[in-house]
Amino acid sequence: MILYGSTTSPFVRRIRIFTQAIPLEFKILDIFALEDRKELIAKNPTLKVPFLVDDEVSVFDSRIIHRYLCEKFELTPLNWKQENILTLIDSVNDTLVSMFLLSKSDFDTTADKLFFKLQRQRIANVLAALEKDCAQGSFNDWHYPSICLYCLIDWAQFRELVDFSDYPHLVSFWQGNSRRAEVVATDPR
Ligand SMILES: N[C@@H](CCC(=O)N[C@@H](CS)C(=O)NCC(=O)O)C(=O)O
């Protein structure tokens, strides 16, 4: 099995951390560089990373890769509460990636424009919900949703996209898990 992705993507990193104990080759793709982009276009029509190739099977999207690996290795699937939490994490992560790409494309994402206001509201709303889940103990164990939350917070910190001062439980969750070997080994910095 080969996992394709970049070393900075939070979506790729969650799968790399999740698969610590699974034999998997990691192939780095710089999706904005000409040659690697040709490979991306040939292998994944969504033009996003991560994706997984397992012999004849190609699996797109981190969420589906996680489900594929759970089925293949008979691991415990997510329960419905965890699926909902993953939707929260994915929604803010997707929004932050879009905002990041927009600012890289010279848009002022702090502008008083409807689209940006909706995204900022979503980010604040979801982070408040995750802060509450965190306070209630949903991320006390190091399971897949915790890995995804860690990768989201760490990437947002790395790219300086979010001020986390309103979310003390998320900050202490982030700090409390930062010394894990697999976390250190996949640090994008
Ligand atoms: N829903 C996807 C999101 C993946 C994603 O957005 N990946 C980003 C890198 S962090 C990407 O490939 N972006 C390229 C683009 O948007 O053109 C997943 O969970 O795998």
Side-chain angles (χ1 to χ4, degrees):
M1 277 192 302
I2 307 175
L3 176 72
Y4 290 82
S6 65
T7 52
T8 48
S9 163
F11 293 102
V12 175
R13 190 182 187 191
R14 53 169 75 169
I15 299 296
R16 290 175 69 202
I17 293 177
F18 178 69
T19 55
Q20 280 301 295
I22 292 175
L24 188 74
E25 184 187 335
F26 177 47
K27 183 142 191 242
I28 297 175
L29 276 190
D30 177 355
I31 60 172
F32 301 113
L34 194 66
E35 281 309 307
D36 283 5
R37 193 152 188 90
K38 276 189 203 156
E39 190 168 0
L40 178 70
I41 291 167
K43 292 196 163 84
N44 180 358
T46 74
L47 306 184
K48 290 188 181 187
V49 286
F51 62 94
L52 180 90
V53 177
D54 186 14
D55 289 329
E56 301 301 302
V57 183
S58 292
V59 188
F60 313 130
D61 196 289
S62 63
R63 196 161 189 159
I64 312 305
I65 294 171
H66 173 259
R67 281 178 56 190
Y68 179 83
L69 293 172
C70 283
E71 204 174 293
K72 185 174 168 105
F73 294 99
E74 297 180 0
L75 307 172
T76 314
L78 298 181
N79 60 40
W80 289 113
K81 184 169 184 250
Q82 291 175 321
E83 292 278 5
N84 260 345
I85 285 178
L86 193 52
T87 296
L88 295 180
I89 295 169
D90 282 355
S91 73
V92 73
N93 216 334
D94 282 334
T95 303
L96 285 173
V97 168
S98 300
M99 295 290 257
F100 179 69
L101 288 177
L102 282 161
S103 51
K104 287 264 167 220
S105 311
D106 295 329
F107 284 90
D108 174 12
T109 60
T110 63
D112 191 21
K113 298 280 182 199
L114 176 65
F115 179 81
F116 299 135
K117 283 198 284 191
L118 295 176
Q119 309 316 309
R120 286 197 294 270
Q121 190 177 30
R122 174 175 300 105
I123 292 164
N125 229 41
V126 173
L127 288 179
L130 290 170
E131 168 76 5
K132 207 166 141 203
D133 283 327
C134 199
Q136 289 170 349
S138 296
F139 302 105
N140 287 355
D141 295 329
W142 188 241
H143 43 40
Y144 187 64
S146 295
I147 293 170
C148 296
L149 178 66
Y150 184 89
C151 294
L152 161 67
I153 298 172
D154 195 51
W155 181 76
Q157 298 275 26
F158 165 55
R159 297 295 194 194
E160 300 178 347
L161 296 171
V162 176
D163 173 4
F164 278 95
S165 50
D166 285 340
Y167 314 108
H169 288 94
L170 294 183
V171 171
S172 80
F173 163 83
W174 174 60
Q175 289 168 340
N177 287 294
S178 62
R179 284 185 203 85
R180 291 180 179 278
E182 64 273 38
V183 161
V184 173
T186 55
D187 190 336
R189 290 163 187 84

